[in-house]
Amino acid sequence: MTYVRKVLGVTAVCALLVACGGEQAADQGAVDALRTAQEKVAAAGSARVEATMDTGDRLASRSAGTLSWSDGVEGTLTVRVTGGELAADTRKFGGDPSQTRFLGDAYYTRMTDAFAALQGGRHWIRHPYDAGSDLTPADSLKALVAARDLRRVGKETVRGTRASHYRGTSGGQRIDVWIDARHLLVRRTQRAGDFTSTVHYRDYGSAAAAERPPLHDTVDFKDVTKDG
């Protein structure tokens, strides 16, 4: 993997939304609560999203935007680099802020002129979704339902909202979710080694849209080959 691709791999925004499957849960009360939340979140169809990602000493970032999942995934996030050893190079190639657009087939990240100079003038990277990825908050709740160690932690306050806290392990990650009195997901965290991501959801039902980048200005992630 080239240096540019290493930087891009660290900054992949899709990691904030993806969770993996696990095994059958033991706490039936927690299972029932998350199944209800899954149905409510799926029906809501969209929400405003605020997220942070930290990979230890390498990189930290903050994202915000609106995502829809009523008819496939669609939406736009603005991403800012907040620290880490790769921050300077990430800003050089990805910009600060940068923009990521989610569409049904893939997500697309807008890069800088410095990156485009290495890629035949193309500014957008197309990242296909991994097979089996859970791309929506409803899907991530479905995956957590299958966690063998799923349990209810207790009641907590999340940004002024009382919520029930649930925890489980899925795909090698510890996942925590907070569900409010309307049975809607208000926060989710994922932890694995040095990697930590936190996503806050609010204003369910908000409009979300994303314009497909021009084909002539787009390069597939697998074709990003040159060093910076």
Side-chain angles (χ1 to χ4, degrees), residues 17-210:
L17 303 178
V18 174
C20 301
E23 300 179 19
Q24 181 58 45
D27 184 337
Q28 191 59 46
V31 169
D32 293 343
L34 292 195
R35 282 178 175 164
T36 298
Q38 178 196 347
E39 294 174 359
K40 294 290 187 180
V41 170
S46 64
R48 295 190 185 278
V49 176
E50 296 177 23
T52 59
M53 182 185 71
D54 193 313
T55 59
D57 295 334
R58 292 178 296 165
L59 194 71
S61 65
R62 183 179 300 276
S63 309
T66 308
L67 292 176
S68 169
W69 50 87
S70 58
D71 184 20
V73 180
E74 185 174 0
T76 302
L77 294 183
T78 298
V79 185
R80 289 188 177 276
V81 176
T82 57
E85 296 171 352
L86 296 179
D89 289 292
T90 300
R91 292 185 180 109
K92 174 183 176 182
F93 292 112
D96 190 26
S98 63
Q99 184 184 98
T100 295
R101 298 178 185 176
F102 291 84
L103 293 165
D105 63 308
Y107 67 100
Y108 297 77
T109 302
R110 179 63 159 81
M111 307 300 285
T112 64
D113 289 343
F115 172 86
L118 301 174
Q119 303 297 326
R122 292 170 292 182
H123 293 84
W124 290 89
I125 304 176
R126 179 181 181 272
H127 303 259
Y129 300 121
D130 292 335
S133 293
D134 299 310
L135 300 175
T136 74
D139 287 339
S140 67
L141 288 171
K142 180 180 179 180
L144 188 55
V145 163
R148 183 173 54 187
D149 59 348
L150 176 64
R151 64 185 179 89
R152 184 178 185 273
V153 177
K155 283 278 191 179
E156 298 174 12
T157 299
V158 177
R159 294 185 169 183
T161 298
R162 292 293 289 171
S164 295
H165 179 186
Y166 299 90
R167 175 177 295 164
T169 304
S170 180
Q173 299 183 76
R174 195 189 89 181
I175 301 176
D176 292 77
V177 297
W178 287 259
I179 308 298
D180 69 10
R182 301 173 298 164
H183 308 287
L184 293 174
L185 177 65
V186 292
R187 181 166 72 187
R188 174 167 59 89
T189 66
Q190 296 171 239
R191 294 181 176 85
D194 290 337
F195 172 82
T196 303
S197 74
T198 299
V199 188
H200 287 91
Y201 300 91
R202 63 181 178 88
D203 297 340
Y204 279 88
S206 298

